[in-house]
Amino acid sequence: MANLFDDFNPISSKQWKQKIQFELDGADYNETVIWNSPEDIQVKPFYHRDEFTKSASVTTKTSDFKICQNIFVHDIEKSVKRAINTLQRGAESLRFTIQNENIDVTSLLKNLPLENKIVYFNLSFLSIDFVKKLDQISIEKKAVFFCCLDPIGHLAKEGNWFLTSDKNNFETIEKISKETTNLSLLSIDSGLYQNSGANITQQIAYSLAHANEYLNRFQNFTKPMVFQIAVGTNYFFEIAKLRALRMLFKLIAAEYNPDLDCHFLVTPTKRNKTIYDYNVNMLRTTTECMSAILGGADAVANLPYDSLYHKDNEFGDRIARNQLLVLKHESYFDKVDNPADGSYYIESLTMQLAEKSLTLFKDIESNGGFLKLLNDGTIKKKIQESANKEQELFDSKKEILLGTNKYPNNEDKMKHDLELFPFVKIKPRKTLITPIIEKRLAEKLEQERLELE
């Protein structure tokens, strides 16, 4: 069969550019159709194969991505009921957040159908006995448990290490590793950097440098390291972010253990979410979940549209879960592995982000490593600088959040709807370092509107 394209002459990138310049009718090409991202990446109006040099060597198993349900554990009976209900209604994995080590984890998990299920545990404490129980239950249940221990992330977010009887948190984790056999123990809270306002290059580099602190200390660990990542609204950049992070982790981890893998648990960011015109949050989280899946997330835990101001509720959970179910079963997002391969734009973004992030990572390492820069305040300072730039764009309406700083519905009243405090919480306490603070772009504007209600 003849190739239908044989009748058409190929068009070079130079010819396309000339055509665009003609159509611009004298306007400057670079100023009109090329824009600069916060990561200092110049985004062109088109990408062509004759300018394509190298594709990213990253493999994503999009067909295997799991729909994850977040469950905050306070009342065990309610948590069990909720877990069973969500698993019956489409959730494929669970993430339990447990703040109290006196929670009876055996009762929590005893009646759950967890065979071959992936379960994540975010613990607000470091307890050898508690993790040993999880290890035993994972063996009995034939489940895959990720015990997301991240003392460096805890230090960054809370300003203090976990309280333990050992010399330091790393010693406690070393003991846990010797007394457990079936758990993946280490996690990186990458979402902290995104939700605090870091640009994408910083998010990747800080996550890698954060992980490298663990790789240096625990070189005998063989289970995958979990990255808990937040994705924003910059659709193609977020796809490229996940691909670049996976590619660079493989590169760095190979220096310690060529077989060490990473596991991405991804959720939409809180940074661009709003309490006013809250239904728009559903649109934001849908595109963010799409970026997560196409970028190669192993699991996606969606953010309910009302999570900022409502306590966990069945309706918000169901809508968030159904967004992912629609993407998987009606939009067929799980049918193709490596879906971003061959896109000149995404490949170009991936390589540029990887190069810039690797440069920043090397700079961090040459200046003493992530922990040193975290302790002396450098990491917080750099994130704050990026956050301030983005806040200025939002305040000047160059970065738009519909319903908040553009086209607001002035009839929208929220004061009597707030079950949760949706702003930065001030917790006076003595800390070793100044914590990295997560803050949404719309907070100041929302507080001003609430005062006028």
Side-chain angles (χ1 to χ4, degrees):
M1 182 178 176
N3 188 336
L4 297 176
F5 292 99
D6 287 344
D7 292 334
F8 300 92
N9 294 323
I11 299 175
S12 68
S13 59
K14 184 178 178 181
Q15 289 172 295
W16 275 117
K17 186 174 179 180
Q18 288 172 342
K19 178 65 174 174
I20 292 170
Q21 287 175 318
F22 175 78
E23 297 292 341
L24 287 173
D25 197 26
D28 185 87
Y29 177 88
N30 291 329
E31 291 183 7
T32 308
V33 294
I34 292 179
W35 61 274
N36 216 43
S37 79
E39 297 75 25
D40 198 30
I41 290 176
Q42 288 196 333
V43 181
K44 300 185 292 186
F46 70 95
Y47 289 77
H48 195 282
R49 70 178 176 186
D50 65 14
E51 297 177 329
F52 186 65
T53 54
K54 185 180 179 183
S55 61
S57 56
V58 57
T59 301
T60 57
K61 293 285 287 183
T62 306
S63 57
D64 291 339
F65 92 88
K66 305 298 182 199
I67 297 171
C68 183
Q69 176 68 52
N70 292 321
I71 298 178
F72 181 87
V73 180
H74 176 67
D75 182 304
I76 288 181
E77 189 177 333
K78 288 181 180 177
S79 297
V80 170
K81 184 178 177 182
R82 188 173 168 208
I84 291 173
N85 180 262
T86 57
L87 288 171
Q88 289 172 342
R89 301 180 74 172
E92 298 162 323
S93 64
L94 302 168
R95 174 164 57 180
F96 291 109
T97 297
I98 302 175
Q99 294 189 324
N100 184 352
E101 64 182 290
N102 295 318
I103 287 287
D104 185 353
V105 72
T106 303
S107 297
L108 175 68
L109 302 174
K110 180 173 61 179
N111 295 319
L112 298 184
L114 297 180
E115 185 171 346
N116 298 321
K117 289 280 190 298
I118 295 175
V119 186
Y120 308 88
F121 295 89
N122 279 354
L123 308 179
S124 300
F125 51 87
L126 202 53
S127 165
I128 296 175
D129 291 338
F130 194 93
V131 178
K132 282 171 65 179
K133 285 181 189 175
L134 290 178
D135 186 55
Q136 187 58 40
I137 295 168
S138 73
I139 295 169
E140 292 169 0
K141 290 275 191 180
K142 298 179 182 176
V144 179
F145 282 8
F146 289 97
C147 189
C148 302
L149 305 179
D150 184 13
I152 295 175
H154 188 266
L155 174 66
K157 189 171 186 176
E158 300 295 333
N160 290 312
W161 296 101
F162 288 115
L163 288 174
T164 70
S165 59
D166 295 308
K167 180 181 174 184
N168 57 51
N169 286 182
F170 302 122
E171 191 174 294
T172 306
I173 289 179
E174 189 67 52
K175 286 182 179 178
I176 291 172
S177 73
K178 290 176 180 175
E179 298 198 36
T180 58
T181 59
N182 207 47
L183 298 178
S184 174
L185 295 175
L186 294 174
S187 173
I188 310 298
D189 184 6
S190 301
L192 173 63
Y193 311 127
Q194 207 285 343
N195 283 307
S196 304
N199 65 41
I200 290 177
T201 300
Q202 289 173 326
Q203 291 170 47
I204 297 171
Y206 293 166
S207 299
L208 292 169
H210 184 156
N212 198 46
E213 294 288 345
Y214 293 136
L215 292 171
N216 269 312
R217 287 172 172 82
F218 307 111
Q219 297 185 19
N220 60 330
F221 280 27
T222 57
K223 300 283 187 182
M225 191 178 288
V226 176
F227 284 78
Q228 300 192 67
I229 303 167
V231 287
T233 198
N234 195 343
Y235 187 71
F236 293 107
F237 272 71
E238 293 294 342
I239 295 171
K241 176 178 85 176
L242 297 183
R243 299 174 85 240
L245 179 57
R246 189 179 293 275
M247 183 172 71
L248 290 179
F249 177 82
K250 294 271 193 183
L251 180 71
I252 294 165
E255 298 297 315
Y256 300 91
N257 177 356
D259 298 321
L260 188 62
D261 204 355
C262 56
H263 183 95
F264 287 0
L265 173 54
V266 184
T267 196
T269 181
K270 291 180 182 176
R271 188 156 170 79
N272 64 354
K273 303 306 178 290
T274 58
I275 62 172
Y276 287 100
D277 218 347
Y278 47 76
N279 288 320
V280 180
N281 289 334
M282 276 188 270
L283 305 178
R284 296 181 182 121
T285 54
T286 299
T287 66
E288 288 159 0
C289 287
M290 290 163 66
S291 291
I293 297 165
L294 297 176
D298 295 286
V300 182
N302 196 10
L303 196 69
Y305 74 98
D306 59 348
S307 61
L308 295 178
Y309 63 91
H310 272 170
K311 294 176 183 177
D312 289 340
N313 61 88
E314 198 277 335
F315 183 76
D317 275 354
R318 182 163 58 86
I319 294 298
R321 189 170 56 249
N322 284 351
Q323 287 173 264
L324 288 167
L325 287 167
V326 167
L327 291 178
K328 176 171 271 199
H329 298 298
E330 295 188 24
S331 303
Y332 309 118
F333 267 56
D334 64 335
K335 298 304 180 190
V336 179
D337 288 331
N338 306 312
D341 280 8
S343 164
Y344 300 140
Y345 178 38
I346 296 175
E347 294 280 18
S348 174
L349 289 181
T350 302
M351 294 306 297
Q352 289 183 80
L353 286 173
E355 288 165 8
K356 288 179 178 293
S357 301
L358 188 57
T359 299
L360 180 54
F361 169 81
K362 289 177 179 177
D363 184 63
I364 293 168
E365 294 302 308
S366 65
N367 282 286
F370 183 77
L371 205 46
K372 178 181 180 297
L373 298 186
L374 183 65
N375 280 315
D376 68 21
T378 301
I379 299 296
K380 177 177 171 58
K381 178 187 172 188
K382 294 294 184 183
I383 291 175
Q384 194 60 54
E385 288 172 359
S386 294
N388 290 343
K389 288 178 184 177
E390 188 179 18
Q391 190 69 52
E392 287 172 14
L393 292 173
F394 174 80
D395 293 343
S396 62
K397 298 185 180 180
K398 291 178 181 174
E399 182 166 331
I400 302 298
L401 292 181
L402 290 176
T404 300
N405 69 343
K406 190 159 189 170
Y407 308 127
N409 177 6
N410 295 321
E411 303 301 313
D412 204 0
K413 308 296 181 188
M414 289 299 298
K415 183 175 282 188
H416 300 296
D417 237 354
L418 302 181
E419 298 175 358
L420 302 172
F421 185 70
F423 309 114
V424 171
K425 298 178 181 68
I426 305 299
K427 294 190 293 183
R429 62 196 187 280
K430 186 178 285 188
T431 60
L432 296 172
I433 67 169
T434 306
I436 296 171
I437 305 297
E438 296 179 319
K439 185 179 180 182
R440 295 181 298 110
L441 288 167
E443 289 197 16
K444 182 171 178 285
L445 194 56
E446 289 172 348
Q447 287 171 316
E448 290 171 355
R449 281 185 67 175
L450 284 170
E451 287 176 7
L452 297 174
E453 286 187 17

